[in-house]
Amino acid sequence: MPLTARETDEELLVRIARNDPAATADMVARKLPRLLGLAARMLGDRGEAEDVAQEAFLRIWQQAARWQAGTARFDTWLYRVALNLCSDRLRRRRETYVAEVPEQADTGPAPDQGLFETERQRKVDAALAALPDRQREAIVLHYYQELSNIEAASVMEVSIDALESLLSRARRNLGAYLKGDNDEH
């Protein structure tokens, strides 16, 4: 049965529970880009983001037979799983101190193209990484994953007021960080 635009996540889960490889492939195609984006923004490391996405899909496969539609939105559950996996990795990182952030391969445009954009993105990524975890989660879910305040609050298991407060503090902290970074250059 091919994936149709009308097929819901819950319908895919039923097929996954029946060990339908096409359903698993359809779910991966549907959810992987957003999971990778979320994890990469939270962790700042594409390799770790891929590991988080893989583990999240493993959990989908393990939970598919027990999924009960109506108890929670599937995307809310999936984002919560991914955020928890990211938080676990961030906690383990804090236990190992390093003098400086390791360099990562540049997958951007050629050196003579987009220098300004690359530098600006580096500053934004550094500012995002400097935020407290909960503020970073709020920013990533709301702005990068484009979740509504209601959806992001649900994923983070906080009230809408608490989410808005986190977003406000995060925007203020990002602005201060970027302004301070710009003043140095």
Side-chain angles (χ1 to χ4, degrees):
M1 177 174 157
L3 175 66
T4 66
R6 293 183 304 252
E7 189 169 28
T8 66
D9 293 338
E10 287 77 13
E11 289 168 334
L12 276 179
L13 286 170
V14 169
R15 291 175 50 209
I16 290 169
R18 293 184 195 140
N19 293 320
D20 179 344
T24 302
D26 290 345
M27 184 67 79
V28 169
R30 183 181 285 185
K31 301 298 180 184
L32 182 62
R34 294 192 63 106
L35 276 181
L36 281 176
L38 170 70
R41 289 280 179 204
M42 290 300 299
L43 300 170
D45 181 295
R46 181 72 176 189
E48 277 194 281
E50 290 170 356
D51 291 345
V52 164
Q54 183 175 355
E55 192 164 341
F57 282 114
L58 178 62
R59 298 221 180 149
I60 290 171
W61 180 74
Q62 291 170 336
Q63 296 297 321
R66 290 186 290 262
W67 181 261
Q68 295 178 356
T71 56
R73 275 191 62 225
F74 177 72
D75 279 343
T76 301
W77 174 82
L78 184 57
Y79 283 128
R80 184 75 254 152
V81 166
L83 284 174
N84 286 343
L85 292 169
C86 289
S87 293
D88 290 346
R89 286 175 179 270
L90 289 169
R91 264 192 299 280
R92 283 193 299 263
R93 276 188 197 168
R94 283 188 205 109
E95 295 170 5
T96 306
Y97 297 98
V98 294
E100 59 186 76
V101 178
E103 287 189 38
Q104 297 179 5
D106 183 6
T107 59
D112 61 340
Q113 298 176 356
L115 287 176
F116 176 74
E117 181 61 29
T118 300
E119 180 62 15
R120 185 176 76 74
Q121 189 60 49
R122 184 198 62 76
K123 289 178 182 178
V124 170
D125 289 345
L128 195 58
L131 289 177
D133 292 345
R134 296 296 280 175
Q135 289 178 25
R136 184 178 333 112
E137 287 177 14
I139 290 287
V140 168
L141 289 172
H142 186 72
Y143 291 103
Y144 292 97
Q145 296 298 311
E146 300 175 355
L147 297 184
S148 70
N149 284 4
I150 293 170
E151 293 168 326
S154 178
V155 169
M156 293 182 70
E157 299 174 337
V158 298
S159 69
I160 294 172
D161 288 341
L163 174 77
E164 289 172 352
S165 177
L166 283 167
L167 286 169
S168 177
R169 287 194 313 266
R171 285 188 296 261
R172 198 168 38 250
N173 287 339
L174 283 171
Y177 183 91
L178 291 171
K179 183 177 187 245
D181 190 40
N182 289 337
D183 290 344
E184 293 176 28
H185 297 292

